[in-house]
Amino acid sequence: MSQQHYRPTFIKVNLQAIQNNIKRLKETLPTHTGVIAVVKANGYGHGDVAVAQAALKAGSKILAVATPEEALHLREAGIQADILLLGTTPLSFLEEASKQNITLTAYSYEWLIATRDIQGPLKLHIKIDSGMGRIGFMDETELKMALAFIRQSEGLQITGVFTHFATADEEDQTLFQQQVSKFEKLLNVFEQRPAIVHTSNSAAALIYPDQHWNAVRFGISMYGIAPSPWINGELPFSLEKALSLHTEVAHVKKVLKGSTIGYGATYVAPTDEWIATIPIGYADGLLRKLHNQSVLINGKKMPIVGRICMDQTMIRLDEKVEIGEKVVLIGKQETEEILIEEWAEALQTIPYEVCCTFSNRVPRIYSK
Ligand code: PMH
């Protein structure tokens, strides 16, 4: 980050951890299987360009994004690697996709025939909907029509085919196995198998070696986070967390017993006590539902007290600390650690969503 930061609130992203996670995964994969680095949603909140560069360094050959804007953001940063746009693509983007060598997902016959005026070349990965119910070809007839259309279109070129699993992170494999069978069945419709066949997300990449085809799409676990508690217990190697969230104590005061803290005066000091104010709030992603969480100061857990404000939050201290004392909200300090999974639980959501809710106001600082 070149911009000067005055507020000491930041996300630290350990790019070496990202590279290590990819390298360790590659060690478990057959040599012909590549790693597609999923850097959509600003690299799951970690910063798309920096993560993409780290992933390419670690041997990924393809980057995956969700939107045209995300693809162009990588190109504008000078990244020349193959980019696959996983989502639906508005027709208004086709020409630019062709110019910028961005591979698109072909997900329905209707969408495909609407591309007929495009000069190309336009690279496509065919998406099979094997049970996710989101986008993709669901039956042989529509897929055959699509392949016939592509064959007679000069500008269109199939470079890949893929599907996405809905339950690969769950212990019950029933739907997963059904999806595998359906994908294999629809793969037989292709006269010539496309160069890149990929089905696995992190969960499947980590625990189903027979599903690797010749590429896997590595998202959440590239960032060092297990896709689910079940997968966390089945990991073939330990993941290195890339993200930690930091700030510093900005203000410290002693309040008297009975003093109130924050909006709604929901916290009333039970005794005389030390209260710190930290410069981070719900506008940064420290959402109000996290009011029962703690932060780490001096290697100890200290509780948030009162309601979290937009930009500031109050912490009950066990003793006076100095202004500027380091605060860790997610990550390690001395022997203590706060996991992103703890935030996810408090928010009744998954770590994926927590990563994506850190706002742009929080600078991402990269360590190599
Ligand atoms: N491939 C596709 C098509 C995806 O949508 C995702 C994640 C991934 C790969 C990577 O999955 P992983 O992070 O589990 O490795 N997509 C989403 C999503 O749409 N909502 O949550 C995760």
Side-chain angles (χ1 to χ4, degrees):
M1 284 256 167
S2 51
Q3 193 194 334
Q4 163 102 39
H5 299 297
Y6 298 97
R7 184 176 68 141
T9 299
F10 60 96
I11 284 173
K12 191 146 94 187
V13 179
N14 180 346
L15 295 175
Q16 191 60 53
I18 289 175
Q19 292 188 47
N20 291 346
N21 292 327
I22 294 173
K23 283 183 187 156
R24 296 220 175 93
L25 177 70
K26 278 171 78 75
E27 281 163 16
T28 71
L29 300 176
T31 45
H32 66 272
T33 304
V35 175
I36 300 174
V38 184
V39 298
K40 61 187 184 150
N42 192 28
Y44 288 42
H46 293 63
D48 55 355
V49 172
V51 172
Q53 286 164 341
L56 294 171
K57 238 192 209 169
S60 286
K61 296 277 186 284
I62 304 178
L63 306 167
V65 297
T67 70
E69 289 74 12
E70 290 174 355
L72 293 179
H73 193 239
L74 297 177
R75 284 284 180 262
E76 280 155 18
I79 293 176
Q80 288 170 3
D82 280 342
I83 297 175
L84 169 63
L85 205 159
L86 296 166
T88 55
T89 298
L91 299 173
S92 55
F93 184 61
L94 297 181
E95 226 163 90
E96 194 61 17
S98 168
K99 265 193 223 151
Q100 304 264 6
N101 187 29
I102 292 159
T103 305
L104 302 182
T105 293
Y107 55 90
S108 74
Y109 183 65
E110 196 181 356
W111 180 83
L112 256 182
I113 55 171
T115 69
R116 68 165 73 85
D117 295 331
I118 185 80
Q119 290 246 304
L122 192 59
K123 291 188 197 158
L124 300 174
H125 281 209
I126 305 290
K127 178 76 181 277
I128 305 292
D129 184 354
S130 57
M132 175 72 182
R134 193 164 60 178
I135 56 171
F137 295 90
M138 291 165 56
D139 62 67
E140 286 185 31
T141 318
E142 194 191 3
L143 181 59
K144 275 182 186 156
M145 279 161 55
L147 297 180
F149 176 79
I150 294 170
R151 261 197 306 278
Q152 49 86 34
S153 313
E154 274 181 18
L156 303 180
Q157 187 193 352
I158 301 177
T159 54
V161 56
F162 72 114
T163 194
H164 190 53
F165 295 124
T167 59
D169 62 342
E170 293 176 15
E171 193 167 1
D172 182 343
Q173 292 185 24
T174 318
L175 179 60
F176 173 78
Q177 293 302 349
Q178 285 168 7
Q179 287 199 253
V180 170
S181 309
K182 180 151 187 200
F183 179 70
E184 286 172 353
K185 191 168 149 230
L186 290 183
L187 202 53
N188 287 330
V189 173
F190 288 77
E191 279 169 16
Q192 198 186 347
R193 189 166 281 181
I196 310 167
V197 183
H198 49 111
T199 59
S200 297
N201 53 4
S202 293
L206 289 164
I207 62 166
Y208 295 113
D210 55 340
Q211 267 312 303
H212 291 154
W213 297 99
N214 54 8
V216 298
R217 299 186 305 279
F218 204 35
I220 194 77
S221 298
M222 174 172 70
Y223 305 96
I225 301 166
S228 69
W230 178 64
I231 300 282
N232 201 27
E234 304 282 321
L235 295 172
F237 56 90
S238 58
L239 295 167
E240 274 184 53
K241 293 174 204 72
L243 180 147
S244 53
L245 176 62
H246 306 258
T247 189
E248 290 177 4
V249 169
H251 179 64
V252 182
K253 61 182 175 287
K254 187 163 203 181
V255 302
L256 298 177
K257 177 180 177 188
S259 300
T260 61
I261 305 289
Y263 285 115
T266 56
Y267 181 78
V268 182
T271 58
D272 293 359
E273 59 193 17
W274 288 99
I275 298 288
T277 302
I278 56 175
I280 181 169
Y282 64 76
D284 299 295
L286 181 63
L287 302 179
R288 292 171 84 242
K289 276 204 184 118
L290 293 164
H291 65 94
N292 285 329
Q293 288 296 114
S294 295
V295 302
L296 299 176
I297 302 176
N298 276 333
K300 290 178 282 187
K301 284 195 174 172
M302 311 276 176
I304 292 173
V305 287
R307 289 186 183 151
I308 292 168
C309 309
M310 188 184 292
D311 324 296
Q312 307 186 74
T313 299
M314 280 67 84
I315 307 294
R316 177 156 51 79
L317 303 169
D318 61 348
E319 58 184 343
K320 183 176 190 280
V321 305
E322 296 304 316
I323 288 170
E325 194 65 52
K326 304 265 182 260
V327 180
V328 172
L329 293 103
I330 295 178
K332 273 192 192 147
Q333 199 182 54
E334 298 176 24
T335 55
E336 286 283 354
E337 182 171 16
I338 296 173
L339 301 172
I340 203 159
E341 283 84 352
E342 296 172 46
W343 278 39
E345 202 177 317
L347 293 167
Q348 292 174 296
T349 184
I350 52 175
Y352 294 73
E353 192 179 19
V354 177
C355 291
C356 295
T357 48
F358 297 118
S359 72
N360 287 342
R361 192 166 81 173
V362 185
R364 273 64 166 173
I365 309 288
Y366 299 99
S367 66
K368 296 239 160 81

